[in-house]
Amino acid sequence: MGKITGFKEIARRDGSYAPVAERIKHYQEFVIPLPEAELREQGARCMDCGIPYCHNGCPVNNLIPDWNDLVYDGNWRAALDALHATNNFPEFTGRVCPAPCEASCTLNITDNPVTIKNIECAIIDKGWQEGWIEPKISSRRTGKRVAVVGSGPAGLACAQQLARVGHAVTLYERNARLGGLLRYGIPDFKLEKHLIDRRLSQMLAEGVEFRSNVEVGVTISVDEVLRDHDAVVLTGGSEVPRDMETTPGRELDGIHFAMDFLTQQNRQVAEEHIGDNRPILAGGKHVVVIGGGDTGSDCVGTSIRQGAASVTQIEIMPKPPEMENKALTWPNWPMKLRTSSSHLEGAERDWSISTRSFKGEGGRVTSLELIRNEWKTGPDGRMSMAEVPGSEFEIKADLVLLAMGFLHPRHDGAVDGCGVEKDPRGNVLADEENYMTSREGVFAAGDMRRGQSLVVWAIREGRRAARAVDLHLMGESSLPD
Amino acid sequence: MHGSDQRQPAGLYDPDHEHDNCGVGFIANIKGSKSHEIVRQGLQILVNLDHRGAVGADPLAGDGAGILIQIPDRLFREEMAAQGVTLPAPGGYGVGMVFLPRLKRSRDRCIHSIERAIHAEGGTILGWRDVPTDNSCLGESVLDEEPLIRQIVIAPPQGMTDQDAFERKLYVMRKQSHGKIWYPSRHSEGDETGVFYITSMSCRTIVYKGMVLSGNLPVYYSDLRDERTESALALVHQRFSTNTFPSWKLAQPFRQLCHNGEINTVRGNINWMAARRATMSSSTLGADLDKLWPLIGDGASDSATFDNALELLVAGGYSLSHAVMMMIPEAWNNNPLMDPPRRAFYEYHAALMEPWDGPAAIAFTDGRQIGATLDRNGLRPARYVVTSDDLVIMGSEDGVLPVPDDSVIQKWRLQPGKMLLIDLEEGRIIGDEELKAQLASAHPYQEWLDRTQIHLEDLPEEIGAMSPDADTLLHRQQAFGYTQEDIKQFLAPMGLQGDDPIGSMGRDTPIAVLSDRPKLLFDYFMQCFAQVTNPPIDPIREELVMSLVSLIGPRPNLLELEGANARHRLEVRQPILSNLDLERIRQIENHVDDTFRAITLSITYPASDGAEGMEAAMERLFQQAEDAVKGDYNILILSDRDVNADHIPIPSLLATAGVHHHLIREGLRTSAGLVVETGEARRVHDFCLLAGYGAEAVNPYLAFDTLSDLAPRLGTDAEKLHQNYIKALNKGILKVISKMGISTYQSYCGAQIFDAVGLTDDVLARYFTGTKCAIGGIGLAEIAKEAARRHAITYQGVLQFSGALDVGGDLAFRLRGETHAWTPETIGLLQHAARSGDQNRYRAYAKKMNDQDRKLRNIRALFEIKVSDNPVPLDEVEPASEIVKRFATGAMSFGSISWEAHTTLAIAMNRIGGRSNSGEGGEDETRFKPLANGDNMVSRIKQVASGRFGVTTEYLVNATDLQIKMAQGAKPGEGGQLPGHKVDAWIGRVRRSTPGVGLISPPPHHDIYSIEDLAQLIHDLKNVNPEARVSVKLVSELGVGTVAAGVAKAHADHVTISGFEGGTGASPITSIQHAGSPWEIGLAETHETLVRNRLRGRIAVQVDGGFRTGRDVVIGALLGADEFGIATAALVSAGCIMMRKCHLNTCPVGVATQDPDLRKLFTGQPEHVINFFTFLAEEVRELMAQMGFRRFDDMIGRRDHLDSQAVIEHWKARNLDLSRILHAVTPTAGVAIHQCEEQDHGLDKALDHLLIEKSAPALDSGTPVRIETPVTNTNRTVGAMLSGLIAKKYGHAGLPDGTIHVKLKGSAGQSFGAFVAKGVTMELEGGGNDYVGKGLSGGRLVIYPAKAGNFAPEKNIVVGNTVLYGGIEGECYFRGVAGERFAVRNSGVNAVVEGVGDHGCEYMTGGVVVVLGQTGRNFAAGMSGGIAYVLDEYGDFEERCNRSMVELEHIDEAGPDSGGDVMADMTRDDARRLKLMIGQHAELTGSDRARRILDLWDQYLPMFVKVFPTDYRRALEDQKAASGPAKLEGATVAAGE
């Protein structure tokens, strides 16, 4: 399998980006893929490990060595089948996944993992391009009806799986268009939205009924949904953002949640002019992004495209190491400094910083008062933070974006409407085996259940929940776990 | 405990597993002149073979000894006259020697039975005689078992004057007497009729035998001391049994023979004998034939069974020698040297009887002729001497009966497949050639063959089925459980390369019965393999003995002496049938005549019947098969081709074995052939099972279809793939059968060389009769359920698998595949724990490994450790620093793993007082000295494996343990191969081989073909290094316990039981997955058998093969282990990530690679390994505290602390029965259950003490000494102890040449000159036995026959078999011929000899061998280095040489000559080198032949052939090109970092 000595002979090569000056002028994707020959060569670097650590590293347990080899072999069609065997939407993960698989790749011990994500993306893009992707329409009907509430990646995966074994699936979405976070949260320059549309088209053919602009528990009663369906799966997102209520000046104008900022931009790109799509514009402004994660990074890239005067991203935690201690982390997901394409587009980053207050003029924010922290590890191994006396400083800020993560799903609407129990963190309580909530026939999956996470985790949850639902309805299931 | 109870099966011990090997000998007066002297000399031979026997715990109880002589007429005539009975003339009366029960009631029954049988056959009882015995010499353990011994004297029926007819009648009487007692009702409570046994009943011979030490035989039987006891022949036998339970019956000789060796195929042979009953008829026996049944079974040993069959053939009219040739045929089908009539003889008889395959030296007699023969491979030694006073003395070794030197007229050996026969009536020796030529020409066998033998390929072309469409193909693949791995890892590589694929590391997946996944029935069987009691064979290098020929169809009447020629026989050259071949068979009726009629029986049944329907379907199949045979169909084709949505296939193995056994039970099996057409079989293992349970040929149509489907993708044509696939299967089957030491498909067929793991006794008894399973398991219902589940997956459309096969995941971890112990999680956790020293991380790891509630992986998961109500505080438990001393890392060679990995393990183990293991492949001597920082890189355990690479005397003395690797868990019964690209300069130097040249480890140790050979090697090693423990490594399989008991009796200090989960650097996947059994089973059996035999105290038991946590260790201890080997987990803590790429040299973490770039990536530190072992010990302590044990010793063998978990919900595992594993042996008070005593090695008797004493000046100060001493065959391993001392003091460099000169006279015992160090010369006048110069480490050996001898030395044998095995360096000069396997695995010794037997210079890698005479066959097989010069006077050497790895050249006086050091450059200077060596030979041995060659040099030189290994020449030339001609051979290379 693969080329036995490929990893020694072939250097890692990944796709490249279009130049910054060029790419920040638009909202389109800017990854320049490797030529096919080179990409196949990259597949040859896979060693067909006796234990493929990537398998576990990947939440959907993609059959990575198999399709790496098939790509090396030029057998794209079979590679596509292998890819689809575990992942409904490789075109999404192939673009936006942080690729924990690559972190767990054996070659990452020497920091040269196989370019798994890139290969994944190439396979699925080729699949679409060649017209190999067709609806898989179930040849039988079970007569069971399932409602899936929330059309993010978890809901989409769940709905597709259920439809393929013959259930009648209704997919509810409170927004105008389907896709959830994929549609509204991830900027177009990372994931162009026509990719979602063609998948929806496939699902439509497979029999999924889409009901957008319907919010369960609000525009339609929970009881009605429960009455009309044999099972309900809650697949909403983790939508309640972490706030800074206690920080003086929080009420000032110009301080927004990251997701509000990103959503309105996506709607503008999509020319969606409905609802409360009030533009939040960074053009000519000094932008400060609070929070060092992926959402923050997306705010950076979006601000730059909008023409921000400066973009600064600050993080309360200390700066992670540039290189993890492989001996104690591999094959696990390491804590390390991650620099995104957006960061490379011209942002300042700083760490170990707390925000003491927002300052403003005329009700609008103008600057932030910050202070540096010192982190110490206590005797119990826990880290604790202390402010460094005298380290206060101030930076200019015309637009502040809060990107400090999400607490839990919204409780109003479907969650409380269904009356399901919640875990201490405020997520819907259900285990990873059955996915069933405290209410018989009501299931939960994705961020709704596990809290904020990656697209790939959402897909996994959606797939597994579909199997659990199928088992619940039919007594046995032929869906993979 | 009463002996017979002790032998009852209970727990895992089963008497069926007992083995024996032994010493045999005979003496005969060629002219038939009888004397008491012959008897006395026979007994003397027995005494001199004493060291080939064994004693167990009771020093007075041997394993049995006996003597067979002609009926001493004078003795009986006078004794009976005293009773008032006048005997008829000699030969006119028969004598039965009878073992009777002491209990009167039982005894009377037996006596009655004999008398009734004699009367029934018309005989007259002339009287009974009480045999005088003196039981004061018996051991207390056999006294209980001692029978009452009486003789009965019988006159023939009225009017019967023909002695042969009388002898046959006596045979019938004996069979009837036994049969009446034994078979109607097995003896009940308080009944002792089980003791009843007739040792002999003949008018010609009588057998005296018993559980007596050989020297005590004439003490016990005063008859043997009686001058009136006269015979012209005496056949003697000394038994070495693997157990010590006394069995008077199993002592030898039997009625017509004694046997040294082992019949590996005995299970199959017994079945086939039974299967013949219905088709057998005899003109000589007539109606008496029926009275002989049960034919087999008056003694459970293979030898006894062999004797039973031989008796029948002789009674049926074959001559004794003819019958022996039928049962143990020579290797005929690949032998170009055999003359055509003889080949025809064998080929003809092949259809009559399958070979009784296995190592064997058989000595046989009917009282008129006496003879001996060897198996086809010559795996047992047999030497003989003919004297001028008409004596022939044959024995397992030379020198068993000292005779005056000047009376010897011939000294020779039995050669493989050859026979020696002495006809006392004709008064002459009949040689092999004459004897066989005569038999071969007795009938026109070739003509009969030409008329009857049909070769499948000669039948007209037929039309084979085409491959189906893709959907059907996929469905069929799914229905038969194909996985992606089957295609990727098996079919595709087999089709492309024609080899059974190789893998590495071990198996860490559950046995089939514990797996959640539907497994094929094939997966419930594990291949058996040879260890200790018989050797595996190398099917590649020793291909000449192997054969895949299979005969399909009805078998002729075994006892039809002449009429069988009418019947047609169908022969296939190998058993895998293409679709076309199968059609030829199906249509055979139309092609041949009505001899053959084939019928196809479907082995599928309606899916609507569900899983429950399978049992009824089987019954229907049986009925159909029976009806077909009765309806004159004689080839049954069992077919599952009609599998479809409506039909479930019965597992092909179940169908095959079931029909096979049903037909055996009905006596119909030999009336029909069995062919299997199945989509299920695809891996080598599958075919072996089908063969092992009766399939004469198999057509794997689905595998072919799959290959055809793959062809376009693999870029080759389907036909080529099919051919390669068949080739790969053929090679694989040969490998599997050779693992058991079996060489022919015909004898493997039906031989059932498998253990079941996870099947109920019911299923086994009904469908796999005779197969055993230690742990019970699933029944037919679950087997059916698995088949039905596969069928449902296929035909009820399951999305998960639609369009794709199941991933498999057996060979490599796959998330949706089979469960593995080593996963990304467990590896990560263990490595993080080892590196950080964080015990919590270790606990998380151990929890993952130990908790198997959801997915079972191993048997121990089902055990519960019982905690005590009285736990002890943790701080009172033996400290971890003591417990870690019981740990050892596994045997991994430097070569298979990197220097960095190897030394990291060694340093770590030395720091904590544990042990690391060198593995096979020597050890760099720089490691023998401690490092400056106090660390020590030495491997305390030095392994001695079959390749003997780098096993120098110095290596052996730098060890605390010497481990003889009999088998390896991942690949028991196999050798190894280190590819040339892994042999860099450094490894080449350590292994004493040439860089760039691949190295082969033979499957067997060529000095261990039996248990007494093992005892010899143990003795050798103990001599070299008396302080070291000698250990023997075995692999778990049923019966390993009895082998371990034999090992203990062979004086090993330590035994390792390896589980099948053990790792490997490279092995066929077939072996990794399907051979051996879990250690839990093997260890439990071993401990139990040792305790029962009272041997446990004197041997330490180590267990390994998949130990990963402290819980594993505790369970091992409770099941009976003292020590633990942990390899994979230790390696993981040092950085191994289970890439399973060891065999490819591409290990990306620098562990299992020699690639300098990759080695740099190794990050392991000794501390990591120490952390792991410390955590392990701490976990052990915690469990000990909970159980209430303070000392580890107290825990050993305490099975009462184990329980099998009641909560097994698993659909398959809940059927397991672990009671046999948990069966607690109740030891008698005072019997140890853990190791606490020392073995007595008998080293005090070594001749070396004298040598050492006299060598003191040389040892102290290098002052030369000369020593003279006589020597006899009981002086074994002479020179080794002395050399060990030299190596300890002076290292491998030794002393200056000739410092110690030892001159000996006589016939030396085995292993003469073993491991002799530099500076020592051993000069022997007389002769040597086997293993002369084993491991020679620089010394010089000179051996020549006694100067007074009356024969030409160059035509007689001077040293035995396997001489110079593993020789490292030194010189040898042998005036005379050597036995088989001369210089096998020689690494560097230069030797001159005047002729050699078969397999000369096999696997040789260095040194120069000069043969001044003829060689046997297969010279230079596997020879990858060194050179040989052979004097080819008859021009037939080319045919005798195996040229697959060597080139032959002629030597030219004018050839290239450097003018420099004559031993420096093997590519030139040949003539000069040859002349020099022959000159030295002449000078040192006084050889006339050498002298003559030198005198006529110009005439002789052109007749020499130089044997030059191809790779070796290439490597030498490369070296020369790289470094200039100055330094070549033995060029030293800097020792790396």
Side-chain angles (χ1 to χ4, degrees), chain B residues 955-1195:
Chain B
Y955 169 87
L956 294 173
V957 297
N958 282 286
T960 62
D961 293 61
L962 299 174
Q963 181 182 62
I964 302 169
K965 180 177 90 170
M966 293 309 308
Q968 181 178 341
K971 50 171 174 180
E974 293 199 41
Q977 200 151 6
L978 193 68
H981 65 84
K982 262 192 157 182
V983 185
D984 63 14
W986 192 3
I987 285 161
R989 185 175 58 83
V990 173
R991 296 195 174 208
R992 311 265 162 184
S993 70
T994 313
V997 177
L999 300 174
I1000 303 162
S1001 296
H1005 287 253
H1006 280 292
D1007 54 356
I1008 310 175
Y1009 294 154
S1010 73
I1011 188 91
E1012 88 265 15
D1013 290 348
L1014 174 67
Q1016 178 61 41
L1017 178 60
I1018 292 170
H1019 190 69
D1020 295 341
L1021 296 177
K1022 202 74 190 179
N1023 267 279
V1024 179
N1025 185 352
E1027 276 92 57
R1029 303 193 295 181
V1030 178
S1031 170
V1032 176
K1033 179 171 178 176
L1034 304 174
V1035 169
S1036 179
E1037 66 176 328
L1038 289 187
V1040 71
T1042 50
V1043 174
V1047 165
K1049 289 167 73 179
H1051 296 116
D1053 304 294
H1054 184 274
V1055 63
T1056 297
I1057 304 296
S1058 277
F1060 77 138
E1061 292 186 52
T1064 174
S1067 163
I1069 295 170
T1070 302
S1071 276
I1072 298 178
Q1073 294 287 326
H1074 304 294
S1077 65
W1079 60 255
E1080 291 92 331
I1081 300 175
L1083 173 64
E1085 187 196 321
T1086 297
H1087 180 72
E1088 181 189 333
T1089 309
L1090 288 172
V1091 172
R1092 276 173 180 245
N1093 280 292
R1094 304 179 174 210
L1095 293 166
R1096 180 66 182 86
R1098 54 159 102 160
I1099 190 162
V1101 176
Q1102 187 193 49
V1103 61
D1104 70 17
F1107 278 77
R1108 302 176 186 111
T1109 67
R1111 181 179 186 271
D1112 293 349
V1113 169
V1114 166
I1115 288 174
L1118 295 173
L1119 287 178
D1122 301 287
E1123 299 175 16
F1124 306 85
I1126 298 145
T1128 303
L1131 217 49
V1132 169
S1133 58
C1136 165
I1137 52 171
M1138 297 290 281
M1139 282 297 287
R1140 296 182 188 269
K1141 295 286 175 286
C1142 320
H1143 56 301
L1144 300 172
N1145 206 21
T1146 58
C1147 177
V1149 286
V1151 174
T1153 179
Q1154 302 306 327
D1155 181 320
D1157 292 334
L1158 297 176
R1159 273 169 48 202
K1160 288 184 193 134
L1161 300 175
F1162 182 77
T1163 58
Q1165 297 294 325
E1167 290 75 16
H1168 303 164
V1169 180
I1170 292 170
N1171 282 340
F1172 164 65
F1173 278 108
T1174 308
F1175 293 149
L1176 201 64
E1178 289 296 345
E1179 189 191 345
V1180 170
R1181 291 182 69 237
E1182 285 165 19
L1183 288 165
M1184 283 171 66
Q1186 290 167 27
M1187 284 187 287
F1189 290 118
R1190 287 184 176 79
R1191 291 173 51 240
F1192 197 97
D1193 271 343
D1194 298 339
M1195 176 166 66

Side-chain angles (χ1 to χ4, degrees), chain A residues 297-472:
Chain A
S297 163
D298 288 347
C299 291
V300 170
T302 303
S303 300
I304 288 169
R305 277 165 184 70
Q306 288 184 354
S310 73
V311 184
T312 307
Q313 187 179 12
I314 58 173
E315 167 62 46
I316 195 167
M317 297 295 291
K319 184 178 178 180
E322 306 239 351
M323 177 62 77
E324 72 273 28
N325 179 359
K326 300 271 188 201
L328 295 182
T329 55
W330 183 88
N332 301 337
W333 178 246
M335 190 60 177
K336 67 184 279 192
L337 181 66
R338 290 167 208 281
T339 301
S340 71
S341 61
S342 295
H343 294 139
L344 299 172
E345 289 163 0
E348 292 289 320
R349 283 193 285 173
D350 208 344
W351 289 268
S352 296
I353 290 171
S354 297
T355 306
R356 294 195 122 186
S357 67
F358 302 95
K359 299 215 163 136
E361 284 170 19
R364 282 200 65 85
V365 68
T366 55
S367 66
L368 267 62
E369 192 187 72
L370 306 173
I371 187 163
R372 296 204 176 270
N373 306 318
E374 199 173 35
W375 288 86
K376 282 186 178 141
T377 310
D380 59 350
R382 285 171 188 274
M383 300 256 288
S384 63
M385 182 186 85
E387 292 181 345
V388 179
S391 68
E392 298 87 346
F393 66 107
E394 207 175 303
I395 58 170
K396 282 183 85 168
D398 306 319
L399 176 63
V400 178
L401 300 171
L402 305 182
M404 298 164 297
F406 303 88
L407 296 170
H408 49 70
R410 283 173 48 216
H411 294 155
D412 55 326
V415 173
D416 286 344
C418 288
V420 295
E421 277 181 38
K422 297 187 277 282
D423 70 11
R425 293 188 301 153
N427 297 317
V428 175
L429 186 70
D431 69 26
E432 254 188 293
E433 197 64 31
N434 300 315
Y435 290 87
M436 205 195 289
T437 65
S438 57
R439 180 156 182 177
E440 174 82 11
V442 177
F443 297 76
D447 287 2
M448 179 73 90
R449 191 195 71 79
R450 74 179 293 126
Q452 61 166 350
S453 189
L454 307 175
V455 170
V456 65
W457 274 108
I459 296 173
R460 169 200 169 98
E461 294 246 330
R463 289 171 62 87
R464 293 177 60 108
R467 178 181 161 83
V469 170
D470 191 30
L471 266 173
H472 171 73

Side-chain angles (χ1 to χ4, degrees), chain B residues 599-629 636 638 642 646-650 654-655 658-659 662-663 665 766-767 780:
Chain B
I599 184 171
T600 303
L601 303 177
S602 171
I603 55 170
T604 66
Y605 70 97
S608 52
D609 294 354
E612 302 74 30
M614 194 178 284
E615 187 164 8
M618 284 295 288
E619 293 306 316
R620 286 197 299 275
L621 177 64
F622 289 174
Q623 197 54 50
Q624 285 168 4
E626 192 182 323
D627 292 348
V629 178
L636 308 185
L638 304 182
D642 56 349
D646 299 327
H647 288 90
I648 299 178
I650 296 172
L654 181 70
V659 168
H662 180 75
L663 293 179
R665 278 192 292 272
R766 174 108 186 97
Y767 306 107
L780 192 64

Side-chain angles (χ1 to χ4, degrees), chain A residues 8 48 53 56 61 327 330, chain B residues 815 832 835 1137 1139 1141 1155:
Chain A
K8 285 186 66 192
D48 184 28
Y53 294 84
N56 251 38
N61 313 129
W330 183 88
Chain B
L815 218 82
H832 298 165
R835 290 170 185 153
I1137 52 171
M1139 282 297 287
K1141 295 286 175 286
D1155 181 320

Side-chain angles (χ1 to χ4, degrees), chain B residues 1273-1296:
Chain B
N1273 78 309
T1274 51
N1275 295 126
R1276 297 182 296 147
T1277 326
V1278 176
M1281 199 186 288
L1282 171 67
S1283 297
L1285 285 180
I1286 295 172
K1288 225 168 212 170
K1289 192 154 180 194
Y1290 300 101
H1292 180 67
L1295 292 165

Side-chain angles (χ1 to χ4, degrees), chain B residues 293-577:
Chain B
W293 300 86
L295 190 68
I296 307 277
D298 60 345
S301 75
D302 54 341
S303 313
T305 306
F306 188 93
D307 184 60
N308 291 155
L310 183 65
E311 275 188 311
L312 175 76
L313 293 178
V314 172
Y318 293 102
S319 73
L320 189 55
S321 46
H322 189 162
V324 170
M325 280 168 74
M326 284 171 72
M327 294 178 70
I328 308 181
E330 274 181 270
W332 51 271
N333 55 332
N334 293 325
N335 186 354
L337 298 170
M338 187 178 284
D339 61 331
R342 198 196 288 193
R343 186 201 303 266
F345 171 88
Y346 283 120
E347 190 169 3
Y348 172 79
H349 285 93
L352 286 176
M353 178 170 263
E354 68 292 340
W356 292 58
D357 209 338
I362 301 265
F364 53 86
T365 181
D366 58 5
R368 295 181 302 193
Q369 293 184 323
I370 186 164
T373 192
L374 279 198
D375 64 86
R376 57 172 57 203
N377 216 355
L379 297 174
R380 300 308 306 136
R383 301 273 295 265
Y384 62 90
V385 183
V386 183
T387 70
S388 52
D389 47 0
D390 291 330
L391 290 181
V392 177
I393 301 158
M394 200 278 312
S396 297
E397 30 188 276
D398 181 41
V400 288
L401 188 67
V403 288
D405 289 336
D406 56 3
S407 73
V408 175
I409 55 174
Q410 194 193 7
K411 270 190 167 194
W412 201 240
R413 70 189 193 284
L414 268 179
Q415 291 163 268
K418 304 289 182 203
M419 192 178 280
L420 164 72
L421 191 69
I422 300 133
D423 191 310
L424 306 187
E425 289 181 351
E426 287 186 37
R428 66 190 191 98
I429 297 175
I430 305 174
D432 182 79
E433 282 296 325
E434 181 192 344
L435 168 71
K436 290 181 179 169
Q438 190 200 331
L439 282 169
S441 59
H443 292 292
Y445 289 113
Q446 189 59 50
E447 218 174 277
W448 290 358
L449 279 173
D450 291 344
R451 217 166 53 225
T452 59
Q453 193 86 321
I454 297 163
H455 289 277
L456 187 67
E457 69 263 28
D458 297 338
L459 293 177
E461 287 277 313
E462 272 293 345
I463 296 162
M466 189 179 175
S467 304
D469 65 285
D471 279 353
T472 310
L473 179 67
L474 181 69
H475 279 146
R476 288 189 178 175
Q477 287 171 338
Q478 289 176 331
F480 290 112
Y482 267 57
T483 66
Q484 294 179 26
E485 273 179 345
D486 285 325
I487 290 177
K488 271 187 215 153
Q489 310 280 357
F490 286 102
L491 290 174
M494 288 165 90
L496 285 172
Q497 283 129 32
D499 280 314
D500 197 15
I502 302 287
S504 56
M505 299 307 291
R507 173 176 166 160
D508 61 340
T509 50
I511 50 175
V513 72
L514 297 181
S515 171
D516 277 344
R517 302 160 60 79
K519 291 296 199 184
L520 299 176
L521 187 58
F522 299 122
D523 295 324
Y524 289 84
F525 291 82
M526 290 292 185
Q527 297 157 13
C528 300
F529 46 88
Q531 52 184 348
V532 181
T533 56
N534 58 330
I537 303 171
D538 183 336
I540 302 166
R541 262 66 64 173
E542 298 186 7
E543 196 187 352
L544 77 168
V545 300
M546 307 299 294
S547 164
L548 282 172
V549 166
S550 181
L551 292 164
I552 301 174
R555 301 190 176 205
N557 170 16
L558 179 62
L559 300 180
E560 183 73 66
L561 299 180
E562 295 183 11
N565 57 347
R567 251 214 130 106
H568 275 115
R569 309 128 38 101
L570 177 61
E571 182 182 315
V572 286
R573 299 203 188 278
Q574 55 83 25
I576 311 299
L577 302 178

